[in-house]
Amino acid sequence: MEMLWSVVVGVFVASGIYLMLERHLLRVLFGLIQLSSAVNLAIFNAGRLTVGNPPLIDGDAVLPHVDAANPLPQALILTAIVIGFGLLVFTLVLFYRAYQETQSADIDEMKYSEEQA
């Protein structure tokens, strides 16, 4: 199962980087979102994917079951989602401000309009 999710993460990273190399600002933003999701999936995949074994410790045990999922990657993903949302909003505001200044969402046209000004 982990191998399948590793391939999915690779496809997400490749398509996210491809989108970030585009000239249109919205595609760059979508690539950033997709790359952030790929990193979250990679962290989640690293924490073992198990079905039906919660990461809980029994009352008389010292360690969780061997087949239990690791709770640390899940906590890291929750933190990464919050940080990713903040980055997304900040980038969206920057792109909107750049669009207001240049009246274009094309990166090459923004560069040329800046040189003409």
Side-chain angles (χ1 to χ4, degrees), residues 28-109:
V28 172
L29 185 63
F30 291 149
L32 184 67
I33 294 168
Q34 199 164 11
L35 196 61
S36 174
S37 297
V39 169
N40 288 342
L41 278 175
I43 293 171
F44 187 68
N45 192 17
R48 277 191 248 129
L49 302 174
T50 57
V51 179
N53 291 331
L56 300 174
I57 300 175
D58 293 330
D60 57 346
V62 178
L63 296 172
H65 296 285
V66 176
D67 296 333
N70 189 355
L72 182 62
Q74 297 170 13
L76 288 174
I77 290 171
L78 288 176
T79 305
I81 288 171
V82 173
I83 293 170
F85 181 72
L87 177 67
L88 170 68
V89 170
F90 179 70
T91 308
L92 187 61
V93 169
L94 283 178
F95 287 171
Y96 180 69
R97 181 69 178 142
Y99 175 75
Q100 280 183 334
E101 289 290 322
T102 61
Q103 295 301 314
S104 175
D106 192 348
I107 294 174
D108 288 340
E109 289 179 18

Side-chain angles (χ1 to χ4, degrees), residues 12-26:
F12 271 29
V13 168
S15 60
I17 290 174
Y18 175 77
L19 284 173
M20 289 180 71
L21 294 174
E22 290 285 328
R23 293 183 350 181
H24 198 273
L25 283 179
L26 282 179

